[in-house]
Amino acid sequence: MRMQEEICCKIDEERTGNEIVSFHQPQKKLVVVGYALTSKKTKSFLQPKLEGLARNKGILFVAIDPQRPLSEQGPFDIVLQKLTGKEWSQILEDYRGTHPEVTVLDPPDAIQHLHNRQSMLQCVADMNLSNAYGKVGVPRQLVIEKDASSIPEVVNNAGLTLPLVAKPLVNDGSAKSHELSLAYDQYSLKKLEPPLVLQEFVNHGGVLFKVYIVGEAIKVVRRFSLPDVTKQELSKSAGVFRFPRVSCAAASADDADLDPSVGELPPRPLLERLAKELRRRLGLQLFNLDIIREHGTRDHFYVIDINYFPGLGKMPEYEHIFTDFLLSLVQSQCKKKPC
């Protein structure tokens, strides 16, 4: 379908006896969403059910060719993107400057903030969020840029408590960037591979909460996580244990028979406050949080990771949530200028 055929009106034919009467009936303008995603992301996100629902709601997804000038494509109402690279980021920044009427999800400089695990959680730490519904913080952490042999001394000087979770410093969405290691003793810390972030491991009942944020919409799912580590286990264990990506869809804990003290979702008002403030501070609309509840408490939570434009295909009812979100963006644009 050509972009110019967005069809602001259509010709209906009505038969009266042997006569056909043609008339123009106004029709709502299509919302055109240009997307620039990897083939893997396109396959997981742009599923037939989403495209079908979008069409029914008057939303058209159009692939963007990164090799062609962006200004020669479209016109778009929204640009949805998750490509990387300085050249692409510059193309988007230039496009935003010349097309202020188009919503770009999300700005490259804001996304870049989440690619570094050192800066990623700083916004949460700076918030120091605490209210009647609970407290949200981040685990104590330390960045190791290089020289694995010095890690035990650096950890000791920082006063971090074992065991420690080791994560790659760069979070670029690759499988490797989501690999975790759990180090049980000082000696084993030398086996880690910088650059990385070391986080104190917080016992959380083996369950984490994935909080999907799509504009103002919030959806929470439970995922199985690393099991708790007792003091006895810590005294008897040594070495570094490596884990692949822990919180995948296959590890869903939503239907598991969990202890209520472990499985109870974080309070909605607390999440709404956290999401609203993070949207403002990060300048992002599409992201998710990995949140854990400290075992033995009801209202002490930690954000341990933030990911941009995550696998929404794993989020229940994502098709309805996402299409409603796109329409809300266009309505917002219409308030700023006549549609």
Side-chain angles (χ1 to χ4, degrees):
M1 178 185 290
R2 291 184 309 169
M3 297 289 293
Q4 286 74 15
E5 294 176 349
E6 292 174 7
I7 316 174
C8 290
C9 63
K10 67 178 180 180
I11 297 178
D12 284 348
E13 294 184 337
E14 183 179 278
R15 183 178 296 274
T16 307
N18 294 324
E19 183 183 5
I20 294 178
V21 179
S22 296
F23 60 92
H24 286 272
Q25 178 180 325
Q27 183 176 340
K28 228 164 41 169
K29 176 181 176 295
L30 280 176
V31 174
V32 183
V33 180
Y35 64 91
L37 308 171
T38 63
S39 57
K40 180 181 178 181
K41 186 69 177 177
T42 300
K43 184 178 179 180
S44 66
F45 170 72
L46 212 57
Q47 297 178 12
K49 188 176 178 180
L50 173 63
E51 289 194 282
L53 182 63
R55 278 195 300 272
N56 290 339
K57 292 185 175 183
I59 302 169
L60 178 67
F61 288 101
V62 178
I64 290 174
D65 182 353
Q67 307 305 318
R68 288 179 51 212
L70 193 51
S71 58
E72 294 179 7
Q73 303 179 63
F76 303 118
D77 297 293
I78 297 168
V79 169
L80 178 66
Q81 63 89 27
K82 196 182 179 182
L83 298 181
T84 56
K86 291 183 179 179
E87 185 178 352
W88 172 249
S89 295
Q90 190 58 54
I91 289 171
L92 272 182
E93 287 300 334
D94 293 344
Y95 182 79
R96 291 177 70 207
T98 55
H99 296 76
E101 76 284 0
V102 179
T103 299
V104 175
L105 295 173
D106 273 304
D109 55 341
I111 298 171
Q112 189 63 34
H113 190 76
L114 297 187
H115 286 174
N116 184 301
R117 283 198 166 93
Q118 182 177 18
S119 60
M120 173 196 294
L121 299 180
Q122 193 58 49
C123 283
V124 181
D126 291 344
M127 285 172 59
N128 195 26
L129 177 56
S130 181
N131 61 24
Y133 296 98
K135 180 178 180 181
V136 180
V138 300
R140 290 204 301 164
Q141 65 177 36
L142 183 66
V143 175
I144 307 294
E145 298 277 3
K146 53 186 179 180
D147 188 13
S149 64
S150 69
I151 296 179
E153 182 182 359
V154 174
V155 165
N156 188 57
N157 291 340
L160 264 60
T161 303
L162 293 163
L164 295 175
V165 179
K167 304 178 182 182
L169 180 60
V170 175
N171 177 24
D172 58 7
S174 65
K176 185 172 179 59
S177 71
H178 289 287
E179 291 178 354
L180 306 179
S181 298
L182 193 60
Y184 280 87
D185 63 287
Q186 290 271 358
Y187 176 77
S188 297
L189 293 172
K190 296 180 181 180
K191 300 178 182 178
L192 298 174
E193 301 173 9
L196 51 81
V197 169
L198 295 175
Q199 284 182 352
E200 285 189 334
F201 180 76
V202 178
N203 282 334
H204 52 283
V207 171
L208 66 76
F209 305 100
K210 274 205 167 299
V211 181
Y212 293 91
I213 297 165
V214 181
E216 295 184 4
I218 299 172
K219 191 78 174 179
V220 188
V221 296
R222 300 176 187 86
R223 294 282 185 262
F224 284 115
S225 179
L226 300 180
D228 289 348
V229 178
T230 65
K231 290 183 178 179
Q232 184 178 15
E233 288 172 335
L234 184 60
S235 65
K236 293 181 177 180
S237 301
V240 173
F241 294 83
R242 303 185 188 279
F243 301 89
R245 188 167 190 163
V246 173
S247 58
C248 61
S252 173
D254 278 329
D255 297 324
D257 184 18
L258 299 172
D259 185 318
S261 66
V262 172
E264 182 183 4
L265 297 179
R268 189 77 184 184
L270 185 68
L271 293 180
E272 288 174 350
R273 170 81 183 279
L274 176 63
K276 181 179 181 180
E277 190 62 24
L278 283 178
R279 283 200 311 270
R280 184 183 69 83
R281 292 182 181 230
L282 294 173
L284 297 172
Q285 301 258 37
L286 297 173
F287 58 99
N288 78 352
L289 312 172
D290 286 353
I291 295 181
I292 59 174
R293 173 192 284 111
E294 185 173 359
H295 194 44
T297 76
R298 185 178 181 182
D299 60 0
H300 196 173
F301 301 92
Y302 292 91
V303 178
I304 57 174
D305 227 350
I306 306 178
N307 297 289
Y308 172 67
F309 194 178
L312 296 180
K314 303 169 188 173
M315 179 178 74
E317 301 175 350
Y318 91 99
E319 301 92 349
H320 291 276
I321 291 172
F322 199 81
T323 49
D324 286 346
F325 166 61
L326 294 176
L327 292 177
S328 73
L329 289 178
V330 175
Q331 289 170 0
S332 213
Q333 292 170 349
C334 288
K335 290 178 182 178
K336 297 175 184 177
K337 63 178 181 62
C339 289

